Amino acid sequence: MTQSSSTTWEYQVAPIPLHNEALMLNNFGQDGWELVAIHTNAQGGLVAFLKRPRAA
């Protein structure tokens, strides 16, 4: 079996405004970002962890 080249990812961590979650996440999606996880920070805000394939 031959090994195929693996994808190299770039990552982004971004705060998400509580009043505009869907709009913000859709904007990231249009730019090629995929949501990996979303967490609540210590102040109660949302933080999104995103990834997309790195350009060659």
Side-chain angles (χ1 to χ4, degrees):
M1 255 177 127
T2 63
Q3 279 212 349
S4 62
S5 62
S6 61
T7 301
T8 302
W9 300 97
E10 63 178 314
Y11 298 93
Q12 181 167 323
V13 178
I16 304 296
L18 293 176
H19 62 281
N20 239 353
E21 301 95 332
L23 177 64
M24 189 73 132
L25 293 172
N26 284 329
N27 286 339
F28 281 120
Q30 289 176 354
D31 290 338
W33 292 100
E34 178 182 341
L35 182 65
V36 175
I38 195 158
H39 293 279
T40 305
N41 65 18
Q43 294 77 32
L46 297 176
V47 179
F49 295 82
L50 306 117
K51 71 176 185 178
R52 70 179 174 188
R54 185 178 300 266

